[in-house]
């Protein structure tokens, strides 16, 4: 099967590489010339465990190609996946202009039947706009070519994207024709050997499923953060509460870990975009407005604990920040809680020295010399007054505490992800602060 994937970010590159891995012929297209040149040389634009091997193998086998020319790629395609960014507009709604740009190019250059599949996260009604845009472009060139649109939202998680794509929990596809359904079923069959379902539905329901899934996960996190903050005030231990509720199968133990808020390129923007869709339909999604507000405040919860500990004066204090990526196993710093924490520390006159196992390159670019970036976790503790654990990378779990204690000026730790045992940390000589635990 001949596939074109447009956009070579987290979703597009993983989709393209994994589809090539099962034997299809894939062209990955992007407008970013540098990205495409680098990919041709085997340099990946993102850190994603296992992705480099799959890209290299399929590129060498001649099944995976990279190009900046969508007009040329489109000519031989049976299926086109649109996986470009849908960044938030100023009012929080999803900006679908890149998706529609791709649709226009497809309409201008296609020369045979194509199934155009939206994989980007897009509001309900976007596939209909894609269809309208292609139809208009075909009309302008007096071309009478049939095509199908479909919606295939992506559920991969950064840090486990390859595994999620190769062995998905489920595949959701919105279609409006039997032929598109059959073609996409054939394409996805190799990924369903684990017996997990492929769910065909109408297009608006597929578009809504993606937002509902992310909104539900964000809700679990904000709910638990709210409970953790109350635990702090009433003297309960949220770790015990979490285990207590998580063993109820109706609730489940995943996604109920409190911390300093969710970040990344999806949850914050998708929650806000769904709230906006509600508003556009005169419906207020009250739960999601609270989820978003709780998350904004939660990113500052560690800062509040820091100010309280230092009586509101952190000038001349040096903070060691462990973890900059929005979560472990990714370099992605979009909407990362670390950025909120660092900004507040700097504004209050403190010094920051930070370390992250993989996002140092991003950090250099984003933080632009405003903090010291250290080569390793231990170095970042030198002469620090306190450690702030922001991202729970495995290497922070059991570091060389003896050297760290020697390195530090004072022994205070703010554990933004509750990864340490408070009693053990106190025994080592730290003043310990967690989220919802003592
Ligand atoms: P990204 O920012 O990593 O990559 C998007 C790519 O699209 C960029 O390389 C950009 O250059 C390219 N692009 C933009 N306009 C283009 C055009 N007209 N033609 C060709 N290429 C173009 O984005 P991402 O994280 O891969 O997300 C893509 C979409 O998938 C978004 O809608 C996002 O919400 C959704 N999504 C993301 C994830 C995730 O974990 N990152 C998971 C599921 C869904």
């Amino acid at each position: 099967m001949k596939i074109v994937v447009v956009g070579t970010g987290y979703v597009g590159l993983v989709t393209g590489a994994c589809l090539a891995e099962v034997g299809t012929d894939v062209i990955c297209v992007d407008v970013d010339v540098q990205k495409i040149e680098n990919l041709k040389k085997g340099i990946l634009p993102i850190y994603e465990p296992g992705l480099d091997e799959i890209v290299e193998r399929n590129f060498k086998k001649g099944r995976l190609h990279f190009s900046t020319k969508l007009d040329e790629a489109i000519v031989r395609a049976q299926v086109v996946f649109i996986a470009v960014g849908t960044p938030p507009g100023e009012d929080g709604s999803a900006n679908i202009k890149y998706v529609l740009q791709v649709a226009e190019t497809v309409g201008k250059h296609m020369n045979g039947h194509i199934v155009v599949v939206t994989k980007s996260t897009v509001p309900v009604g976007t596939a209909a706009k894609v269809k309208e845009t292609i139809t208009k472009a075909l009309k302008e060139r007096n071309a009478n070519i049939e095509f199908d649109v479909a919606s295939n939202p992506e559920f991969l998680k950064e840090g486990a994207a390859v595994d999620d794509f190769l062995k998905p929990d489920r595949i959701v596809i919105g279609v409006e024709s039997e032929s598109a359904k059959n073609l996409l079923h054939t394409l996805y069959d190799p990924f369903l050997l684990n017996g997990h379902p492929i769910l065909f539905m109408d297009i608006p329901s597929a578009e809504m499923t993606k937002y509902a899934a992310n909104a539900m996960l964000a809700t679990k996190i904000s709910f638990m953060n709210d409970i953790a903050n109350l635990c702090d005030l009433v003297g309960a231990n949220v770790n015990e509460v979490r285990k207590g509720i998580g063993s109820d199968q109706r609730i489940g133990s995943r996604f109920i870990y409190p911390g300093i808020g969710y970040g990344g390129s999806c949850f914050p923007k998708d929650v806000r975009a769904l709230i906006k869709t509600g508003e556009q339909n005169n419906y207020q999604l009250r739960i999601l407005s609270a989820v978003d507000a709780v998350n904004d405040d939660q990113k500052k919860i560690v800062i509040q604990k820091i100010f309280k500990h230092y009586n509101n004066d952190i000038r001349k204090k040096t903070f060691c920040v462990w973890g900059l990526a929005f979560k472990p196993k990714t370099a992605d710093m979009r909407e990362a809680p670390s950025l909120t924490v660092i900004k507040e520390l700097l504004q209050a006159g403190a010094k920051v020295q930070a370390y992250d196992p993989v996002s140092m390159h991003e950090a250099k670019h984003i933080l632009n010399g405003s903090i010291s970036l250290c080569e390793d976790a231990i170095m970042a503790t030198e002469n620090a007054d306190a450690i702030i654990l922001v991202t729970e990378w495995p290497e922070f779990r059991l570091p060389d505490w003896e050297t760290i204690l020697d390195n530090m000026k004072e022994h205070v730790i703010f554990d933004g992800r509750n990864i340490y045992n408070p009693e053990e940390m106190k025994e080592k000589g730290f003043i310990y602060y967690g989220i919802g635990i003592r």
Side-chain angles (χ1 to χ4, degrees):
M1 215 183 279
K2 309 260 186 232
I3 313 286
V4 170
V5 181
V6 192
T8 57
Y10 285 90
V11 170
L13 188 56
V14 170
T15 300
C18 292
L19 288 175
E21 180 76 353
V22 298
T24 66
D25 190 285
V26 181
I27 307 181
C28 286
V29 178
D30 205 289
V31 282
D32 187 330
V33 179
Q34 189 62 52
K35 232 180 216 184
I36 292 298
E37 284 315 307
N38 282 345
L39 279 164
K40 285 179 182 168
K41 290 184 213 145
I43 304 167
L44 268 57
I46 51 169
Y47 169 82
E48 195 53 56
L51 183 59
D52 42 1
E53 285 166 43
I54 297 190
V55 169
E56 189 188 339
R57 183 168 48 246
N58 287 285
F59 184 67
K60 281 192 179 150
K61 291 265 180 198
R63 286 194 296 257
L64 183 61
H65 317 265
F66 298 105
S67 170
T68 51
K69 298 194 171 77
L70 179 56
D71 51 349
E72 287 175 11
I74 210 75
V75 170
R76 31 159 263 161
Q78 290 164 276
V79 183
V80 176
F81 284 96
I82 306 179
V84 298
T86 46
E90 266 175 29
D91 61 356
S93 61
N95 182 350
I96 59 165
K97 99 174 167 199
Y98 304 112
V99 172
L100 297 183
Q101 272 170 10
V102 175
E104 195 182 350
T105 311
V106 170
K108 277 184 178 162
H109 298 280
M110 63 192 274
N111 64 355
H113 183 273
I114 301 186
V115 181
V116 182
V117 186
T118 311
K119 209 170 223 326
S120 304
T121 303
V122 290
V124 174
T126 302
K129 288 184 184 156
V130 166
K131 191 174 179 178
E132 217 175 276
T133 307
I134 297 174
T135 305
K136 187 165 168 252
L138 285 172
K139 227 179 192 167
E140 278 168 9
R141 49 186 266 237
N142 285 324
N144 187 14
I145 306 169
E146 288 193 359
F147 67 97
D148 283 296
V149 290
S151 160
N152 170 217
E154 182 51 58
F155 297 98
L156 60 76
K157 301 181 288 294
E158 285 180 27
V162 171
D163 242 27
D164 285 346
F165 197 96
L166 293 175
K167 292 174 265 171
D169 288 341
R170 82 303 207 182
I171 292 167
V172 169
I173 302 185
V175 280
E176 47 187 26
S177 85
E178 206 54 28
S179 64
K181 180 180 171 183
N182 292 339
L183 188 68
L184 293 171
H185 207 320
T186 305
L187 180 61
Y188 273 119
D189 256 350
F191 302 97
L192 294 166
L193 299 176
N194 58 10
H196 291 171
I198 182 162
L199 305 167
F200 286 100
M201 55 184 78
D202 60 273
I203 290 178
S205 303
E207 291 172 330
M208 180 57 100
T209 298
K210 173 64 191 176
Y211 281 106
N214 274 2
M216 183 65 185
L217 294 171
T219 301
K220 283 185 98 172
I221 295 173
S222 275
F223 170 81
M224 212 52 204
N225 284 335
D226 234 6
I227 295 291
N229 296 342
L230 188 59
C231 284
D232 257 341
L233 296 172
V234 298
N237 181 339
V238 78
N239 276 347
E240 303 301 336
V241 176
R242 176 177 55 74
K243 288 180 216 154
I245 65 169
S247 46
D248 182 331
Q249 288 190 2
R250 292 169 304 174
I251 296 171
S253 57
R254 298 178 72 188
F255 264 79
I256 55 169
Y257 286 76
I260 57 171
Y262 59 76
S265 68
C266 294
F267 286 5
K269 103 172 152 54
D270 293 349
V271 165
R272 287 177 205 139
L274 194 53
I275 292 170
K276 201 68 206 166
T277 299
E279 282 171 18
Q280 285 160 351
N281 289 278
N282 297 320
Y283 187 78
Q284 208 192 341
L285 286 160
R286 286 164 295 176
I287 293 176
L288 289 188
S289 299
V291 165
D292 188 37
V294 166
N295 193 59
D296 272 352
D297 289 350
Q298 198 67 15
K299 287 184 179 178
K300 295 183 186 152
I301 208 83
V302 162
I303 292 292
Q304 284 164 15
K305 288 174 193 273
I306 290 171
F307 279 128
K308 196 163 170 205
H309 177 83
Y310 293 104
N311 286 326
N312 287 326
D313 186 3
I314 59 169
R315 285 170 302 169
K316 304 202 181 100
K317 297 289 174 198
T318 299
F319 292 91
C320 156
V321 171
W322 275 354
L324 295 167
F326 86 91
K327 66 173 185 179
K329 296 192 194 159
T330 181
D332 200 344
M333 285 180 64
R334 289 179 282 187
E335 300 235 17
S338 65
L339 296 174
T340 308
V341 170
I342 289 170
K343 187 173 156 212
E344 298 272 342
L345 292 173
L346 294 178
Q347 262 172 11
K351 241 182 85 186
V352 178
Q353 43 201 45
Y355 165 73
D356 185 283
V358 303
S359 67
M360 298 306 264
H361 182 72
E362 272 76 1
K364 215 179 225 171
H365 178 66
I366 296 170
L367 295 163
N368 199 15
S370 59
I371 66 167
S372 311
L373 294 171
C374 304
E375 267 171 46
D376 62 42
I378 306 284
M379 240 183 222
T381 62
E382 271 171 23
N383 291 317
D385 291 279
I387 295 172
I388 310 170
L389 184 289
V390 177
T391 317
E392 67 279 30
W393 284 94
E395 70 175 82
F396 300 137
R397 283 178 198 268
L398 200 57
D400 176 357
W401 289 119
E402 257 177 53
T403 310
I404 290 168
L405 285 161
D406 275 352
N407 270 356
M408 294 179 73
K409 243 190 293 183
E410 284 181 46
H411 302 141
V412 188
I413 187 154
F414 297 91
D415 178 0
R417 300 290 175 183
N418 285 358
I419 68 169
Y420 302 117
N421 179 318
E423 291 312 317
E424 282 176 18
M425 296 312 283
K426 284 172 203 162
E427 271 167 34
K428 287 185 204 309
F430 280 103
I431 298 173
Y432 176 87
Y433 293 92
I435 310 280
I437 50 175
R438 278 153 200 272

